[in-house]
Amino acid sequence: MGLSGNAGQRSEARRRLIGVFGGTFDPIHRGHLAIAQFALQEAELDLVLMVPAGRPWLRDEAPMASAEHRLRMTQLAVENEPNFEVSGVDVVREGATYTVDTLVDLGDEYGEDVEFVLVLGADSARQMDSWERSDELRRLCSVLVIGRPGEERLENLAASHPAYGARYLEGPMLDVSATRLRSRLAAGEDVSDSVPGAVERYIRKNGLYGA
Ligand code: ATP
């Protein structure tokens, strides 16, 4: 598949392809944006929905920034990106955030004429075998896995693993992580190489992560 999108030439009857890219986004960083942009082009998506988690259940600790701050930072990060939107479905839903619920809610919102492509980094995809109702999830979307530095390719997965058979693309391989960014911010470092300017200004204005 080429890198240039050809949405305009596609048949009118084609269903809209919507990428669903969830994350804690604590904070959102250039690694996230690079893989979302890559997925948009490479999978010829019509739109990427960025979906900040309300209460991620696989993590030992709660996110450092509130859901409202993480939602706002995500909006700032994509405000000049025409093919990106931010969804608050996981922030408004009560309780732990399960991706299967995200897809059910988005299905209700977007109706019949769309197909969802779940976009995941390789580390998240590997964890899918511990996700809630993963069989149901796999019926609601296709899965596109993007490589991440330090993570192995998704080979040798058992056929019963929910990521088995998912499309894998290496992608831009930017070595950025939110955990490392939070430490750098707390240490007073400049993080403009890894975070969009508007997000960094928001972090500093609101004193997030000890910045
Ligand atoms: P942390 O460092 O705390 O684990 P994170 O940087 O992975 O955070 P998340 O919000 O947990 O950020 O990630 C959301 C999604 O983005 C996940 O699917 C994750 O695999 C993917 N992801 C994050 N950073 C990268 C990266 N640099 N390359 C590829 N995928 C990434």
Side-chain angles (χ1 to χ4, degrees):
M1 204 179 289
L3 271 177
S4 56
N6 63 347
Q9 296 158 25
R10 288 193 203 116
S11 115
E12 291 288 318
R14 175 187 165 279
R15 301 210 288 176
R16 283 176 86 207
L17 264 188
I18 300 187
V20 177
F21 184 34
T24 312
F25 301 146
D26 191 25
I28 190 157
H29 55 64
R30 292 194 198 279
H32 296 132
L33 297 171
I35 73 167
Q37 195 72 52
F38 177 81
L40 181 79
Q41 294 179 328
E42 199 67 19
E44 300 189 346
L45 305 175
D46 296 292
L47 174 72
V48 175
L49 274 181
M50 309 291 289
V51 193
R55 198 144 65 72
W57 63 283
L58 261 179
R59 305 198 157 229
D60 296 335
E61 290 163 12
M64 275 189 81
S66 69
E68 290 68 27
H69 279 317
R70 291 181 290 104
L71 183 67
R72 187 69 196 119
M73 287 189 280
T74 309
Q75 287 164 339
L76 288 170
V78 301
E79 64 187 352
N80 298 319
E81 300 283 349
N83 298 311
F84 285 50
E85 286 177 17
V86 180
S87 168
V89 273
D90 287 348
V91 169
V92 298
R93 192 183 325 99
E94 300 273 316
T97 300
Y98 298 122
T99 304
V100 63
D101 295 328
T102 314
L103 270 296
V104 169
D105 288 354
L106 291 176
D108 291 344
E109 190 176 330
Y110 284 85
E112 299 273 295
D113 292 331
V114 301
E115 276 176 46
F116 293 114
V117 178
L118 184 66
V119 179
L120 297 172
D123 53 320
S124 300
R126 194 172 291 284
Q127 292 182 326
M128 279 182 90
D129 54 352
S130 55
W131 287 16
E132 282 281 314
R133 288 146 54 214
S134 55
D135 290 350
E136 184 184 344
L137 172 65
R138 286 302 260 119
R139 288 193 293 274
L140 297 172
C141 58
S142 57
V143 176
L144 172 60
V145 182
I146 315 276
R148 183 167 190 176
E151 288 294 323
E152 287 172 28
R153 302 176 65 93
L154 286 190
E155 288 165 339
N156 307 320
L157 289 181
S160 57
H161 192 289
Y164 179 82
R167 186 172 178 205
Y168 176 90
L169 295 171
E170 184 146 275
M173 287 291 200
L174 293 192
D175 191 11
V176 189
S177 102
T179 305
R180 253 186 288 129
L181 268 172
R182 292 193 297 271
S183 308
R184 288 176 61 195
L185 282 159
E189 287 180 33
D190 171 18
V191 294
S192 51
D193 57 338
S194 305
V195 174
V199 175
E200 184 172 9
R201 284 191 291 280
Y202 184 91
I203 289 171
R204 297 198 185 283
K205 187 168 151 222
N206 291 280
L208 304 182
Y209 313 114

